[in-house]
Amino acid sequence: PLPGGTIGYVLTDPTGRDKWARAAVLMNGSSREAVMPLPDGRWRVPMALRRSGDVRDEHAGTVTLPPHCGALLYQARGE
């Protein structure tokens, strides 16, 4: 389950033609930091988070989002 005040979803490329096999869109609308669960595997960050926070290039298991912030992460094909 996701923390209160957050939303997240995963988009999958059904055609197999995109470099990204899956993309995770995560939003923290709460006024508190949120630890968001990620599906299995290694997730990469193609763009920095809006505010300073957990801005490592790769994540597995969870990613921490600052208050009122969003993130886009992806899994490359074959990972």
Side-chain angles (χ1 to χ4, degrees), residues 45-51 55 69-72:
V45 179
M47 63 177 77
L49 301 177
R50 278 188 50 200
R51 298 182 183 188
V55 293
C69 187
L72 173 65

Side-chain angles (χ1 to χ4, degrees), residues 7-73:
I7 188 170
Y9 53 92
V10 175
L11 302 171
T12 303
D13 173 29
T15 67
R17 293 183 288 200
D18 198 290
K19 291 189 284 185
W20 293 9
R22 299 193 300 169
V25 180
L26 307 172
M27 301 297 292
N28 178 8
S30 76
S31 58
R32 297 183 179 187
E33 184 176 88
V35 178
M36 305 286 288
L38 292 170
D40 289 341
R42 184 173 70 179
W43 291 85
R44 297 179 180 185
V45 179
M47 63 177 77
L49 301 177
R50 278 188 50 200
R51 298 182 183 188
S52 62
D54 196 354
V55 293
R56 293 173 289 140
D57 290 336
E58 293 186 9
H59 298 268
T62 63
V63 62
T64 301
L65 296 182
H68 308 290
C69 187
L72 173 65
L73 296 93

